[in-house]
Amino acid sequence: MARDQLRRQGVDLATVDTQVWEDALAGTKAAAAEDRKRVLEQGGLHIVGTERHEARRIDNQLRGRAGRQGDPGSSRFFVSLEDDLMRRFGGSTVANLMDRLGVDEDIPIEHDLISRSIANAQVKVEGYNFDLRKHLLEYDDVVNQQRRVIYDQRNLILSSSNLKDTILGMVQDELRAAIAQHVSGDPLEWDLVGLLQAVRRVLPLPVKFEPPWGDRSPEQIEAQLVAVAECLYDAKEASVGAEGLLELPRLQQALQMESLDQRYLQFLMDQRLEPALLRQLERMLMLRAVDSHWVRHLTALDELREGIGLRAIAQRNPLIEYKREAFDMFDELKSAIALDVAGKILFSTLKQQPTSESMRAFRPLAQAQHSQSSAPAKVKERVGRNDPCPCGSGKKYKHCCMHKDAAALAPGGTATRSGTQTSPPQHTRKKRRR
């Protein structure tokens, strides 16, 4: 109040005098004390409510405004039979009773029974809202548990210095899953072609690789593929400066091939990375796989939650159905992450982009043009009409080279024999007759 009073008087609060501020503050305090005394003499603050809220907490807060810190006050609430709270809980019964008794609509009804019925209605609404929030919280707990697992895995990826064992375990698990899917049961029903296609999605195998898996057991096939995966991973981690592949004999023994074609060897040479770069590639692939699949999983959970309530028509608990299907979807999420990482680690590499200096070495002409364009342009000093001519003739500029310079800058000038340009012919002004 004191600030508003000083602003209305045009006083700057940043440079106001201390005595002026204290006088204004004392005046506003005296006015506030007088207003408080007048309010207390009238019986205090009176709160008028136009309806009753669904929660008793809101009504109690409004009542508490009338008696702050022991001050006197009162409150009164008006409820219509057409309010939402009354229509849901007994409003129609009271309205029918008033119609039978012939009570006028403008006559207020004051009875403790109505107050108790309103309070009971508020208790019912509060219980319903509490159950609703509790039910929604149970749905959210399912997502929170899965989020906690994903975030723990992501923090592990960021904090780990070496993810080789984790990713190599994913590769081996995918190979075992492919073997269990295509090579199980009766050997006559084995799908060796499908197994080879599934393995090629995980391991970069030679084109001419045709293993004799028909006369082997699933355990032998698994041992061979695991050995090949370890050899390929070790070959990828070899030093870039080393000549050849030190793991080549071991890889040939695992593949059970006498020789490898030159194209496949060149592919393995191109895939080699330094240990530090390979650790970076592992972290990048893991983070990208986890983040992308987790976003899709959250979208799928939202879609599942929108229609899960229809399971109640089939006499099934929607919450239990949601938990069961969310658990199955989370298992699929972990499998998709592992498949994505296992299928990319042995086929991906890091390539350093050429710097600007190396690009200029291949483009000398562009470098020369760039140097010419980047050179600061010389600004020609402007010469006045009556200044000495820059050519050194001693004449004024307007009597010497000004016309030549103007002709050279004009767009419509024509060339003369000496190579200079002359200005276009000017129209002479006709003399006015007297």
Side-chain angles (χ1 to χ4, degrees):
M1 295 174 59
R3 293 188 181 91
D4 295 340
Q5 181 180 356
L6 292 177
R7 290 192 185 99
R8 288 193 296 268
Q9 295 176 1
V11 179
D12 189 6
L13 298 179
T15 60
V16 63
D17 188 40
T18 306
Q19 186 63 32
V20 176
W21 167 252
E22 292 179 354
D23 294 342
L25 185 61
T28 53
K29 286 183 178 180
E34 184 178 355
D35 293 341
R36 182 175 182 275
K37 182 179 179 181
R38 189 182 305 110
V39 171
L40 294 178
E41 291 176 354
Q42 296 296 329
L45 181 63
H46 184 71
I47 300 297
V48 178
T50 57
E51 62 176 350
R52 296 289 290 271
H53 200 268
E54 292 182 352
R56 292 173 295 174
R57 176 179 57 85
I58 306 299
D59 295 341
N60 294 333
Q61 288 179 355
L62 294 175
R63 292 190 184 98
R65 295 293 178 182
R68 303 292 293 178
Q69 300 180 356
D71 293 341
S74 59
S75 60
R76 189 176 185 87
F77 289 84
F78 295 90
V79 180
S80 174
L81 295 178
E82 297 179 356
D83 291 344
D84 295 337
L85 188 63
M86 294 300 298
R87 282 190 299 178
R88 283 192 290 177
F89 301 96
S92 59
T93 304
V94 179
N96 295 332
L97 180 61
M98 292 179 62
D99 292 339
R100 287 196 300 267
L101 297 177
V103 181
D104 191 4
E105 295 182 356
D106 298 333
I107 298 177
I109 303 175
E110 298 180 3
H111 198 277
D112 295 339
L113 179 62
I114 297 179
S115 300
R116 287 195 298 269
S117 63
I118 293 176
N120 293 333
Q122 288 178 329
V123 171
K124 294 179 181 179
V125 173
E126 290 175 357
Y128 173 76
N129 293 334
F130 176 77
D131 294 338
L132 183 61
R133 290 193 298 270
K134 182 180 178 181
H135 195 62
L136 294 177
L137 184 61
E138 291 176 349
Y139 281 94
D140 292 337
D141 287 340
V142 178
V143 185
N144 289 334
Q145 293 175 2
Q146 298 182 2
R147 183 182 292 110
R148 193 177 300 111
V149 175
I150 291 296
Y151 283 8
D152 291 342
Q153 183 178 1
R154 201 173 189 277
N155 293 332
L156 181 62
I157 295 172
L158 294 174
S159 60
S160 299
S161 59
N162 193 340
L163 298 172
K164 178 179 178 180
D165 296 337
T166 304
I167 298 181
L168 189 58
M170 292 181 179
V171 174
Q172 295 174 0
D173 292 340
E174 292 300 325
L175 294 176
R176 295 188 183 97
I179 293 173
Q181 180 181 359
H182 299 87
V183 182
S184 61
D186 189 2
L188 298 177
E189 298 179 357
W190 286 3
D191 186 7
L192 298 179
V193 178
L195 175 60
L196 184 58
Q197 293 177 356
V199 171
R200 287 186 181 277
R201 298 190 189 100
V202 181
L203 302 179
L205 299 176
V207 179
K208 299 180 180 180
F209 178 68
E210 296 179 358
W213 289 340
D215 55 350
R216 296 183 182 180
S217 63
E219 291 76 12
Q220 294 176 346
I221 298 176
E222 177 183 344
Q224 180 186 5
L225 293 179
V226 169
V228 171
E230 294 177 354
C231 293
L232 290 174
Y233 210 107
D234 294 339
K236 189 177 184 66
E237 197 176 357
S239 177
V240 177
E243 297 181 358
L245 289 172
L246 300 179
E247 295 79 8
L248 183 58
R250 191 159 61 98
L251 179 60
Q252 290 181 353
Q253 183 179 0
L255 292 173
Q256 297 180 359
M257 298 179 64
E258 297 180 357
S259 61
L260 300 176
D261 58 291
Q262 190 65 28
R263 186 176 180 182
Y264 181 69
L265 293 177
Q266 185 63 37
F267 169 78
L268 296 180
M269 294 286 291
D270 296 339
Q271 292 292 318
R272 290 185 306 171
L273 289 175
E274 293 286 348
L277 294 178
L278 184 58
R279 302 289 87 81
Q280 183 180 359
L281 177 62
E282 293 169 352
R283 186 175 292 107
M284 290 174 56
L285 289 179
M286 288 284 290
L287 289 177
R288 182 175 298 179
V290 171
D291 293 344
S292 60
H293 288 283
W294 173 245
V295 171
R296 298 174 186 174
H297 179 70
L298 290 178
T299 305
L301 286 180
D302 291 339
E303 295 176 354
L304 175 63
R305 186 171 176 177
E306 291 178 357
I308 200 64
L310 299 177
R311 303 294 177 88
I313 301 177
Q315 303 300 322
R316 295 181 180 179
N317 190 350
L319 179 60
I320 297 177
E321 293 292 322
Y322 179 78
K323 290 182 178 180
R324 182 180 59 80
E325 295 197 13
F327 181 77
D328 296 339
M329 293 171 61
F330 189 68
D331 287 341
E332 296 177 359
L333 168 67
K334 294 188 292 185
S335 301
I337 293 175
L339 179 61
D340 192 5
V341 175
K344 291 181 179 179
I345 185 62
L346 297 177
F347 293 91
S348 303
T349 186
L350 293 176
K351 292 185 178 180
Q352 186 178 4
Q353 295 182 355
T355 59
S356 57
E357 288 77 8
S358 60
M359 291 295 293
R360 291 171 186 172
F362 292 101
R363 299 172 60 188
L365 181 60
Q367 183 180 3
Q369 294 178 356
H370 176 72
S371 60
Q372 293 178 2
S373 61
S374 61
K378 295 182 180 180
V379 180
K380 185 177 181 180
E381 185 179 359
R382 185 175 180 181
V383 184
R385 291 170 54 86
N386 297 321
D387 294 341
C389 186
C391 65
S393 60
K395 299 180 181 179
K396 291 185 178 181
Y397 180 61
K398 62 181 179 181
H399 297 310
C400 187
C401 298
M402 186 182 73
H403 298 287
K404 297 180 181 179
D405 295 341
L409 296 176
T414 56
T416 60
R417 293 181 181 178
S418 59
T420 59
Q421 292 182 348
T422 59
S423 60
Q426 299 180 356
H427 298 282
T428 58
R429 183 182 299 176
K430 295 182 179 181
K431 294 184 180 181
R432 184 181 300 175
R433 294 181 181 179
R434 297 182 179 178

